Amino acid sequence: MPDILSPCSPISTEPCRVGGLTLALAPPDETVSIGGFRNSLPALHEAALQALGASLPQTPGTATRAQDLSILWAGPNQWLASAPSGSGLMEKLQAAFGAHAALTDQTDSRVTLTLSGPYAHVIAAKLVPIDLHPRCFGLSSVALTLAGHIPVIVVQRDLEPSYNFIVFRSLVRSLHHDILAAMQGGIPKSEQN
Amino acid sequence: MRIHCPYCGTRGVEEFTYLGDATVRRPDPDAPEAAWVDYVYLRDNPAGPHPEYWYHAAGCHGWLVVVRDTRTHEIFSVRTASGGAEA
């Protein structure tokens, strides 16, 4: 009987602290990508509402939440659903709308880094080219963009502020290095008030 | 240069990849060889507004048709290549 390989953490699970800022690895969620079939989109949205109690966000750059399930807009007719480990997300989604969408397990493909603390938005803005002002980017916002040269999905987690950077697992070391360097660079005087 | 993606909003050009002329059309399978040579190899190089395919690689992965002035980089319109949203 072959040994079953279990994934190890791509970076240290110890949070890094610089001043009041914290950069930490988020707990590994179960993640499934949803690609809606073009001909059954209305049925897909209806089934999601019925079975999950959450809508698949139709407005680009938004997210919805229902209990511990979160659904991010991830492109035209594409979404990324995540729920805590052990919640059987794939089975739930298969049962809810397996006939209307391509479901792919992404649990091992992505890792989430959480940057939090006062001025976290200023640190994030050093890497991300989008406007993070609360007027443009709030709690239900999602952005697919670049952090430095690394493709990321940015989500604002709470108003502390704190941001989740969802990144491909193989790139998380580089992203962690970049964010840590941005934190160590300090908060520009022009941004302090 | 910044491109207004109909899905993601205005983003820097570093998020996009250029494919090329959005006006070429695939000839009929039994079209003369000259038409195929034209389709595969020959491209116009206009000075002025020109529809082009751009791919939002570091964003929503959407294919866009961008009408861009090749002299000034001014962008006149952006729509999805599938014919959906316009911005």
Side-chain angles (χ1 to χ4, degrees), chain A residues 28-31 68-69 81-93:
Chain A
D29 279 346
E30 281 181 23
T31 307
D68 53 7
L69 169 72
S82 57
S85 205
S87 52
L89 179 64
M90 185 54 131
E91 292 72 28
K92 271 186 211 165
L93 298 185

Side-chain angles (χ1 to χ4, degrees), chain A residues 166-189:
Chain A
I166 305 169
V167 62
F168 287 118
R169 186 184 166 91
S170 57
L171 299 178
V172 69
R173 283 176 76 96
S174 296
L175 182 65
H176 187 270
H177 172 90
D178 285 356
I179 299 178
L180 199 57
M183 288 161 70
Q184 285 162 344
I187 296 140
K189 281 219 162 59

Side-chain angles (χ1 to χ4, degrees), chain A residues 124-140:
Chain A
K126 290 186 185 184
L127 295 166
V128 174
I130 55 167
D131 191 352
L132 294 174
H133 191 282
R135 186 174 54 213
C136 306
F137 197 79
L139 280 183
S140 60

Side-chain angles (χ1 to χ4, degrees), chain A residues 45 55-64 71-80 130 135-145 153-155, chain B residues 4-11 56 59-62 64 80 84-87:
Chain A
H45 286 289
S55 60
L56 302 177
Q58 301 209 46
T59 309
T62 60
T64 53
I71 305 175
L72 313 179
W73 183 86
N77 302 326
Q78 294 170 66
W79 297 270
L80 204 60
I130 55 167
R135 186 174 54 213
C136 306
F137 197 79
L139 280 183
S140 60
S141 303
V142 179
L144 285 71
T145 184
I153 301 175
V154 186
V155 183
Chain B
H4 187 90
C5 171
Y7 297 112
C8 303
T10 305
R11 297 289 179 85
H56 197 181
C60 63
H61 305 113
L64 310 175
T80 60
E86 181 135 0

